[in-house]
């Protein structure tokens, strides 16, 4: 089965556990992601966040200036996606709704539940109970059919919670089926009338499995909600194109992610080049040609009164830069000021306008006077805009590299696939090459040697070896034959395979990984709040500081507070003060400060994903670098997690086959690894049957952390540990006690079996220690991280394992809630605690810990409750996660030094602190270059994280062949 990497259900703000369900009048929530272009710093993102949060129906909004994205959680009953997009554009930025990955399908799950004996009056109560659950989109209960149909978001609520909600009303609920309802966005070309729209809509609605259609006539977009088990994108495209007799062409609505980013890079590059066309001549005429005798004479020639040729040329050349190329700064500052806030655009507009319009005043005065010699700053405004555009281009180009991890993950999926049509006997009738995004559930795909697997599914024909290292981390190719599962994006090594697609689009393992990494990069680390708080007040303070600088120097010049010789011969005290004020305004821009944290988090989480460590956001990354105590589960974490029965001792006179039939019939209902080991061992007594059928188990009960019991063949069977037997008042003979002690001494688990209230046998189950576990614990000690074992297994086995790996503190026979309590006790003692586990019984502790780390091969519930997923299931990745987080936060601190260093050093120099003593001043266009350099420096500093290498000690483990199969 393909691994699932679910997004965290933990509260991103508090980081504490799974949030409680909220009952609200607004109904269910929805999420939308937007690509937002034009943001430059934290002040910009904060401005958009504030505007969105003021809207009715917005539950939360997270805006990231680095990735140019906004993620909005809202109530569809109160507000729609288009209104949100328009609000972002009203603030002054271009916004585009981003569809989900690959198929642009936004999936919700649908399940059918049997409700025994429900009456008409009860159905309303059940519907209300279901609708009150957070994540339920729609619930319909039919009392006549005794059935409920529920559409819900599986990331917010599970089907088990739906069953519990129904049973809380007093009804008995039984799950019938579960399935997904997907949403697909289609763009249709050739549609020009409302009649055409309705015609296409009616054709789509006639298809089986289509649930709902929403039309956006401005974009010719059709949003189709459907059941993927029944229909899919190829059917929709075929129906649309056949409806108009070839007039209409349909395609999956184009994404707005990487394409938008590439267009923004191109737009900034083009703007920079055009600004250079005008700015370089301005710079040459004012700074270079004035020292070339022949050219100087020509430029100084007067045209009207004291107005010279050079001044006219500079005015003419700088005007397009100021008002055409620099128009974006006017637009951005106008929209910011209209909403009562200020951003980088305001600073640039103020600075360049001050220089430009003072120059215009000076030139016009010279044209009207016969004795006034003008001094212009046209080169200041044009060069400043050019350098800012250069910095913006370099910054956007560098920022794009921080999300390379996502691009590489998405590139794992092949662009095309070979679709097979089979007859009733399984013979191939036709082959057709299609876009891989058009694969539907139950399609049969042909995978050639050397090709990528196009979809998650299972092999129905052929044999081969598949390289799954890019998804699971397994270094060696895995043998695949009929019935084996394959994962989309992996590489087929040798033979030809026919694969039936099971998970497509956003359901696939690859899509879930991409979504998790993207969500992680959107989530802000708590340390970023520092930069956000500064950025919020920084721009108004910069304006005040700039004005104060100008006023101070102007008054100092007026009242002769410094010698006249300090002022360059070409300007007066007002012009000198103006230059100082503009320089302060430009160099103090907080762009670099806003990039310090998100660039490092984005690169860090991307590097983690490439190393097989999925980190769910900045909160997890920040907490992980502080971890000083790790709590390990035993089974499947420190051990391989594939236990096997190694010994059986019967205490009653009965056939071994009969004994194991009773035990297997009881344990087959349990998901516990030990139960699976017992059932697997019992199959040896039924070698003639490929899938043996066990006797029916009635009244099955799972006693969490202890064992199970059931009625099989009218006999009460209890399987579990010593505590369970004592709780059930079952006597344990000395012979059984001796065997338990013997198994525990050998680090094995002893399981007791009671039949009809009498102890009937003892099983010894061995789960070997993971290779390298002892070395991992030793390395953690060297990193000053304390290790503890907390397990539901018995004390003897737990102590034996602890001694073998070198762990001193052991908590055994702990139930799931006791594991969580132990985590909380450690936190109360001042420890920053990480929990490493893989099972359902670990999920409470994973949620309670400061950092929950789930083994990638573990259960979906454990993975969902965790902050970090170790995809390869390698124990050494615990060290990688902690070391990577430490390196990332070291980089964040260095980024803050870069960002604040530029400002702390640059602002005094720009304000003229060194001018009185050594005559050093910072022209505004050089200040602009310094500001651009600060942002680029921070981004490049973060990009160095891409060179991250795991600790060399771990490489030593690999050299010894320490891997997990």
């Amino acid at each position: 089965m393909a691994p699932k990497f679910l997004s965290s259900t933990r509260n991103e703000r508090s980081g504490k556990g799974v949030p409680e369900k909220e009952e609200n009048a607004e109904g269910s929530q929805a999420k939308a992601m937007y690509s937002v272009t034009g943001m430059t710093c934290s002040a910009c993102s904060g401005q958009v966040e504030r505007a969105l949060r003021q809207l009715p129906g917005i539950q939360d909004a997270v805006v990231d200036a680095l990735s140019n994205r906004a993620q909005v959680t809202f109530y569809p009953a109160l507000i729609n996606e288009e209104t949100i997009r328009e609000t972002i554009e009203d603030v002054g930025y271009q916004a585009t709704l981003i569809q989900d990955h690959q198929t642009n399908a936004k999936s919700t799950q649908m399940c059918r539940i049997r409700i025994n004996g429900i009456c008409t009056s009860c159905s309303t109560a059940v519907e209300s109970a279901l609708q009150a659950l957070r994540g339920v989109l729609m619930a319909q209960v039919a009392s006549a059919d005794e059935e409920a149909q529920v559409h819900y978001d599986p990331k917010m609520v599970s089907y088990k919670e739906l069953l519990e909600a129904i049973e809380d009303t007093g009804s008995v609920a039984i799950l019938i089926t579960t399935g997904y309802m997907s949403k697909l966005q289609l763009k249709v070309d050739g549609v020009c009338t409302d009649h055409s729209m309705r015609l296409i809509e009616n054709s789509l609605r006639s298809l089986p499995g289509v649930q709902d259609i929403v039309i956006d006539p401005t974009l010719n977009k059709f949003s189709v909600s459907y059941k993927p088990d029944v229909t899919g994108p190829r059917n929709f495209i075929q129906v649309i194109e056949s409806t108009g007799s070839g007039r209409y062409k349909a395609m999956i609505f184009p994404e707005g992610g990487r394409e938008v980013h590439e267009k923004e890079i191109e737009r900034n590059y083009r703007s920079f080049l055009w600004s250079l066309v005008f700015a370089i001549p301005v710079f040459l005429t004012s700074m270079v040609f004035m020292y070339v005798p022949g050219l100087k004479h020509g430029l100084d020639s007067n045209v009207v009164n004291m107005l010279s040729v050079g001044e006219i040329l500079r005015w003419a050349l700088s005007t397009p830069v100021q008002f055409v190329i620099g128009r974006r700064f006017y637009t951005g500052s106008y929209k910011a000021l209209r909403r009562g806030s200020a951003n980088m655009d305001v600073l640039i507009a103020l600075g360049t306008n001050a220089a430009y319009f003072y120059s215009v005043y000076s030139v016009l005065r010279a044209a009207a006077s016969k004795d006034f010699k003008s001094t212009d700053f046209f080169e200041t405004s044009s060069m400043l805009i050019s350098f800012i555009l250069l910095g913006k281009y370099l910054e956007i180009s560098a920022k794009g590299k921080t999300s390379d991890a996502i691009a590489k993950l998405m590139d794992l999926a092949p662009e095309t696939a070979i679709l097979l049509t089979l007859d009733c006997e399984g013979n191939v009738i036709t082959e057709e090459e299609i876009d891989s995004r058009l694969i539907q559930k139950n399609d049969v795909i042909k995978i050639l040697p050397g090709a990528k697997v196009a979809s998650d599914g299972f092999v129905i024909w052929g044999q081969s070896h598949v390289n799954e290292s890019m998804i699971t981390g397994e270094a060696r190719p895995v043998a695949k034959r009929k019935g084996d599962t394959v994962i989309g994006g992996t590489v087929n090594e040798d033979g030809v395979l026919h694969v039936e697609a099971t998970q497509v689009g956003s359901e696939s393992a690859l899509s879930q990984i991409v979504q998790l990494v993207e969500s992680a990069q959107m989530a802000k680390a708590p340390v970023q709040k520092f930069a956000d708080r500064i950025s919020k007040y920084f721009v108004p303070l910069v304006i005040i500081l700039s004005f104060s600088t100008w006023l101070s120097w102007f008054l100092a010049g007026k009242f002769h507070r410094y010698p006249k010789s300090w002022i360059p011969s070409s300007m007066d005290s007002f012009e000198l003060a103006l230059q100082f004020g503009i320089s302060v305004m430009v160099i103090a821009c907080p762009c670099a400060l806003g990039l310090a944290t998100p660039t490092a988090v984005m690169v860090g989480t991307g590097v983690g994903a490439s190393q097989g460590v999925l980190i769910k956001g900045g909160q997890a990354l920040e907490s992980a670098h502080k971890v000083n105590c790790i709590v390990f589960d035993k089974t499947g974490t420190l051990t391989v997690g594939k236990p096997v029965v190694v010994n059986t001792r019967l205490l009653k006179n009965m056939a071994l086959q009969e004994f194991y039939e009773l035990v297997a019939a009881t344990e087959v209902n349990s998901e516990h690894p030990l139960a699976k080991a017992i059932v697997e061992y019992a199959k040896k007594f039924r070698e003639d049957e490929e899938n043996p059928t066990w006797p029916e188990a009635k009244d099955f009960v799972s006693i969490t952390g202890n064992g199970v019991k059931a009625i099989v063949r009218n006999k009460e069977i209890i399987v579990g540990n010593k505590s369970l037997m004592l709780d059930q008042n079952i006597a344990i003979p000395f012979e059984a006690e001796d065997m338990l002690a013997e198994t525990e001494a050998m680090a094995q688990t002893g399981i007791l079996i009671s039949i009809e209230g009498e102890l009937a046998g003892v099983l010894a189950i061995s789960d070997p220690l993971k290779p390298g576990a002892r070395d991992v614990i030793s390395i953690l000690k060297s990193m000053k991280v304390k290790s503890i074992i907390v397990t539901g297994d018995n004390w003897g086995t737990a102590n034996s394992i602890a001694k073998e790996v070198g762990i001193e503190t052991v908590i055994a026979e702990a139930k799931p809630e006791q594991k969580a309590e132990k985590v909380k006790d450690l936190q109360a003692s001042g420890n920053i605690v990480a929990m490493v586990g893989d099972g359902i019984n670990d999920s409470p502790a994973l949620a309670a810990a400061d950092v929950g780390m789930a083994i990638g091969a573990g259960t979906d519930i454990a993975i969902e409750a965790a902050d970090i997923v170790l995809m390869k299931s390698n124990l050494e990745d615990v060290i990688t996660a902690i070391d990577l987080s430490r390196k990332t936060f070291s980089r964040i601190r260095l980024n803050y030094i870069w960002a604040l260093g530029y400002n702390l050093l640059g602002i005094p120099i720009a304000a003229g602190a060194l001018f009185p003593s050594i005559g050093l001043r910072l022209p505004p266009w050089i200040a602009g270059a310094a500001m651009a350099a600060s942002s680029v420096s921070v981004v490049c500093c973060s990009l160095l994280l891409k060179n991250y290498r795991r600790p060399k000690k771990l490489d030593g483990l690999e050299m010894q062949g320490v891997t997990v199969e």
Side-chain angles (χ1 to χ4, degrees):
M1 182 178 176
K4 293 189 178 181
F5 305 97
L6 305 177
S7 59
S8 175
T9 57
R10 292 163 64 91
N11 189 315
E12 285 293 344
R13 293 187 175 183
S14 67
K16 299 294 182 185
V18 180
E20 296 178 1
K21 302 178 190 71
E22 299 174 5
E23 189 170 330
N24 54 70
E26 294 90 347
S28 59
Q29 295 176 353
K31 280 188 179 180
M33 183 82 80
Y34 296 85
S35 171
V36 184
T37 55
M39 295 188 297
T40 54
C41 59
S42 295
C44 302
S45 60
Q47 184 184 1
V48 177
E49 279 186 8
R50 287 192 295 274
L52 289 173
R53 285 174 178 163
Q54 290 171 3
L55 293 172
I58 298 295
Q59 200 273 334
D60 193 22
V62 179
V63 183
D64 185 8
L66 173 64
S67 60
N68 290 325
R69 292 196 172 190
Q71 182 173 282
V72 186
T73 306
F74 63 100
Y75 298 103
L78 300 178
I79 194 170
N80 58 35
E81 294 166 338
E82 184 61 21
T83 303
I84 296 171
R85 188 189 66 79
E86 289 173 355
T87 300
I88 297 173
E89 296 201 337
D90 285 344
V91 179
Y93 307 102
Q94 187 72 31
T96 308
L97 180 66
I98 300 176
Q99 312 304 332
D100 280 353
H101 314 296
Q102 295 183 15
T103 58
N104 300 331
K106 197 172 194 176
S107 297
T108 57
Q109 198 161 0
M110 184 274 291
C111 70
R112 292 168 55 217
I113 302 171
R114 174 78 61 195
I115 308 176
N116 292 336
I118 190 172
C119 61
T120 305
S121 59
C122 299
S123 64
T124 305
V126 172
E127 271 189 13
S128 300
L130 290 170
Q131 290 283 14
L133 290 175
R134 183 169 175 264
V136 172
L137 306 178
M138 184 183 72
Q140 293 178 326
V141 180
S143 56
D145 298 330
E146 294 188 341
E147 186 179 306
Q149 189 175 94
V150 187
H151 297 275
Y152 64 98
D153 185 346
K155 294 178 182 177
M156 299 170 69
V157 64
S158 68
Y159 72 83
K160 292 180 181 178
E161 290 175 286
L162 302 178
L163 297 176
E164 289 172 5
I166 295 172
E167 290 181 349
D168 286 344
T169 65
S171 304
V172 178
I174 302 168
L175 182 68
I176 302 173
T177 60
T178 61
Y180 277 91
M181 182 178 70
S182 293
K183 185 178 179 182
L184 179 71
Q185 316 282 351
L186 291 170
K187 179 178 176 60
V188 182
D189 293 330
V191 179
C192 52
T193 64
D194 291 340
H195 174 71
S196 302
M197 288 280 190
R198 286 194 298 271
L199 191 65
I200 293 172
E201 181 185 3
N202 292 336
S203 299
L204 289 172
R205 287 190 186 278
S206 65
L207 286 174
V210 172
Q211 300 290 299
D212 189 31
I213 298 173
V214 178
I215 301 173
D216 183 348
T218 58
L219 299 175
N220 286 350
K221 182 172 72 174
F222 289 77
S223 300
V224 186
S225 299
Y226 64 99
K227 295 178 181 178
D229 291 327
V230 180
T231 188
R234 284 202 317 281
N235 296 343
F236 303 149
I237 291 173
Q238 183 181 1
V239 165
I240 291 171
E241 293 184 348
S242 62
T243 298
S245 302
R247 283 183 298 153
Y248 309 134
K249 294 295 179 184
M251 58 181 290
I252 293 174
F253 202 82
E255 297 179 12
R258 291 162 68 181
E259 293 83 357
V260 171
H261 183 75
E262 288 168 3
K263 285 180 181 177
E264 189 178 7
I265 291 176
E266 185 182 346
R267 181 168 60 87
N268 278 275
Y269 180 65
R270 194 165 52 245
S271 296
F272 168 64
L273 289 182
W274 273 112
S275 69
L276 283 184
V277 170
F278 296 97
I280 288 177
V282 173
F283 175 77
L284 292 175
T285 57
S286 62
M287 300 289 186
V288 179
F289 294 163
M290 300 305 293
Y291 299 98
V292 180
L295 293 174
K296 175 177 170 48
H297 177 73
L299 293 172
D300 286 344
S301 301
N302 292 333
V303 179
V304 179
N305 290 330
M306 297 296 291
L307 177 63
S308 68
V309 172
E311 289 166 345
I312 294 175
L313 282 174
R314 288 192 289 275
W315 186 7
L317 290 168
S318 63
T319 299
V321 179
Q322 184 71 36
F323 297 108
V324 180
I325 299 170
R327 182 178 55 188
R328 63 169 70 181
F329 303 120
Y330 287 98
T331 304
S333 57
Y334 166 72
K335 291 184 177 180
L337 293 171
R338 190 181 64 178
R339 301 191 71 90
S341 62
N343 58 11
M344 175 186 165
D345 291 337
V346 174
L347 294 180
I348 295 168
L350 282 174
T352 56
N353 276 318
Y356 178 84
F357 283 109
Y358 175 77
S359 300
V360 171
Y361 158 76
S362 181
V363 167
L364 291 177
R365 184 176 172 185
S369 173
K370 294 183 179 180
D371 55 5
F372 176 78
K373 178 66 177 175
S374 71
T375 303
D376 66 83
F377 297 112
F378 287 121
E379 83 284 351
T380 294
S381 62
S382 58
M383 291 298 292
L384 182 54
I385 288 174
S386 296
F387 270 107
I388 288 169
L389 290 174
L390 172 62
K392 184 65 179 169
Y393 164 69
L394 294 174
E395 180 187 317
I396 291 173
S397 300
K399 284 197 304 185
K401 294 177 183 177
T402 62
S403 57
D404 279 352
I406 290 179
K408 288 177 181 177
L409 284 171
M410 295 182 73
D411 287 342
L412 289 177
E415 293 184 1
T416 61
I418 300 174
L419 176 67
L420 300 180
T421 305
L422 307 180
D423 61 19
C424 57
E425 296 179 357
N427 299 314
V428 177
I429 301 174
T430 61
E431 294 184 8
E432 178 188 1
E433 188 174 60
I434 62 169
D435 188 322
S436 62
R437 296 176 299 173
L438 300 179
I439 297 174
Q440 300 176 184
K441 271 191 178 180
N442 305 319
D443 279 348
V444 177
I445 307 298
K446 182 179 181 180
I447 314 296
L448 298 172
K452 292 179 180 178
V453 178
S455 171
D456 293 359
F458 62 91
V459 178
I460 62 170
W461 181 87
Q463 292 186 16
S464 185
H465 287 81
V466 175
N467 185 343
E468 297 182 340
S469 59
M470 63 286 295
I471 302 292
T472 65
E474 173 58 60
R476 291 174 295 182
V478 181
K480 299 292 181 182
R481 55 182 58 87
K482 185 177 179 179
D484 290 339
T485 58
V486 292
I487 306 170
T490 55
V491 179
N492 184 25
E493 294 281 332
D494 35 50
V496 177
L497 296 175
H498 292 179
V499 174
E500 183 172 325
T502 54
Q503 281 89 32
V504 297
S506 58
E507 298 174 44
S508 69
L510 182 59
S511 280
Q512 288 186 49
I513 293 172
V514 171
Q515 289 172 34
L516 190 149
V517 175
E518 280 197 336
S519 296
Q521 294 181 344
M522 277 294 296
K524 291 183 179 180
V527 71
Q528 193 176 339
K529 293 176 183 176
F530 165 72
D532 289 346
R533 280 195 298 268
I534 293 177
S535 298
K536 184 177 180 181
Y537 303 106
F538 209 82
V539 174
L541 286 174
V542 168
I543 295 172
I544 294 171
L545 180 61
S546 302
F547 179 76
S548 302
T549 301
W550 170 81
L551 187 62
S552 299
W553 280 103
F554 177 67
L555 292 176
K558 279 291 184 185
F559 295 101
H560 307 290
R561 298 294 185 188
Y562 55 84
K564 194 76 173 174
S565 59
W566 286 4
I567 306 177
S569 58
S570 59
M571 63 176 68
D572 60 21
S573 58
F574 177 87
E575 293 160 351
L576 179 68
L578 181 63
Q579 277 208 355
F580 283 136
I582 295 172
S583 294
V584 169
M585 190 177 297
V586 173
I587 204 168
C589 188
C591 291
L593 190 65
L595 294 171
T597 299
T599 50
V601 169
M602 183 170 281
V603 177
T605 52
V607 167
S610 67
Q611 301 255 351
V613 178
L614 291 182
I615 303 170
K616 297 182 180 179
Q619 171 77 53
L621 197 65
E622 181 164 347
S623 298
H625 95 282
K626 303 175 186 175
V627 166
N628 57 13
C629 179
I630 296 185
V631 176
F632 288 96
D633 175 47
K634 182 183 74 68
T635 306
T637 303
L638 289 173
T639 62
V640 173
K642 296 180 180 178
V644 292
V645 177
V646 294
N647 197 5
T648 307
R649 181 81 58 85
L650 291 182
L651 303 177
K652 284 186 69 174
N653 232 347
M654 62 186 303
L656 198 59
Q657 181 173 349
E658 181 190 359
F659 170 80
Y660 268 106
E661 282 205 355
L662 296 174
V663 176
T666 306
E667 290 282 40
V668 77
N669 299 289
S670 173
E671 289 293 318
H672 198 281
L674 297 182
K676 293 180 178 179
I678 293 171
V679 173
E680 196 63 33
Y681 187 79
K683 289 179 180 179
K684 294 181 179 179
F685 299 97
R686 296 274 202 89
E687 290 183 349
D688 54 326
E689 299 180 46
E690 188 175 344
N691 292 304
T693 303
W694 306 106
E696 182 184 2
K698 299 178 181 178
D699 301 329
F700 174 82
V701 178
S702 176
I703 300 108
T704 307
N706 285 322
V708 297
K709 65 179 182 177
I711 304 296
V712 181
R713 292 177 178 166
N714 297 319
K715 295 177 182 179
E716 185 186 54
I717 311 297
I718 302 176
V719 184
N721 56 22
K722 186 177 178 180
S723 298
L724 179 60
M725 299 302 160
L726 294 176
D727 289 344
Q728 299 292 322
N729 297 318
I730 295 169
I732 301 175
F734 290 115
E735 186 182 359
E737 292 274 13
D738 290 342
M739 187 175 180
L740 283 178
E742 188 181 321
T743 59
E744 290 169 6
M746 293 187 292
Q748 297 171 353
T749 302
I751 300 295
L752 303 175
I753 292 90
S754 162
I755 301 176
E756 287 290 280
E758 183 182 352
L759 204 67
V762 182
L763 307 182
I765 298 179
S766 174
D767 186 8
L769 200 66
K770 280 185 177 177
R774 183 177 182 84
D775 295 306
V776 168
I777 301 303
S778 175
I779 294 171
L780 286 171
K781 282 183 181 178
S782 69
M783 296 170 68
K784 298 182 179 178
V785 178
K786 180 182 179 182
S787 299
I788 296 173
I789 288 180
V790 178
T791 178
D793 213 336
N794 60 74
W795 282 97
T797 304
N799 282 321
S800 297
I801 291 290
K803 186 177 180 181
E804 197 171 343
V805 298
I807 293 177
E808 297 173 1
T809 308
V810 179
I811 306 294
E813 298 179 8
K815 296 179 180 179
E817 62 273 15
Q818 291 171 328
K819 291 184 179 183
E821 286 301 320
K822 180 59 182 175
V823 167
K824 291 174 183 175
D825 290 343
L826 289 168
Q827 290 170 327
S829 303
N831 293 295
I832 304 299
V833 183
M835 169 71 193
V836 185
D838 72 321
I840 294 172
N841 60 341
D842 297 323
S843 55
L846 288 168
D850 295 287
V851 181
M853 298 187 187
I855 298 296
T859 65
D860 292 346
I861 293 175
I863 291 170
E864 188 168 351
D867 300 294
I868 297 175
V869 181
L870 310 178
M871 291 167 57
K872 301 177 184 178
S873 297
N874 288 350
L875 205 57
E876 53 263 35
D877 282 342
V878 172
I879 296 170
T880 302
I882 294 174
D883 184 65
L884 176 60
S885 68
R886 289 179 178 181
K887 293 284 190 349
T888 301
F889 269 79
S890 172
R891 192 64 57 180
I892 288 173
R893 294 188 192 100
L894 189 58
N895 283 347
Y896 279 130
I897 292 172
W898 273 111
L900 292 172
Y902 269 97
N903 285 336
L904 293 176
L905 290 174
I907 290 175
I909 296 173
L914 299 179
F915 182 66
S917 57
I918 61 175
L920 177 65
R921 60 191 177 91
L922 207 62
W925 58 273
I926 294 180
M931 182 206 70
S934 68
S935 296
V936 175
S937 298
V938 165
V939 176
C940 291
C941 184
S942 293
L943 284 173
L944 290 175
L945 266 175
K946 297 177 85 172
N947 299 323
Y948 171 81
R949 295 292 180 268
R950 302 191 315 163
K952 290 183 178 179
K953 295 177 182 178
L954 294 184
D955 295 333
L957 290 182
E958 278 193 354
M959 293 293 289
Q960 299 168 30
V962 176
T963 55
V964 177
E965 295 185 10

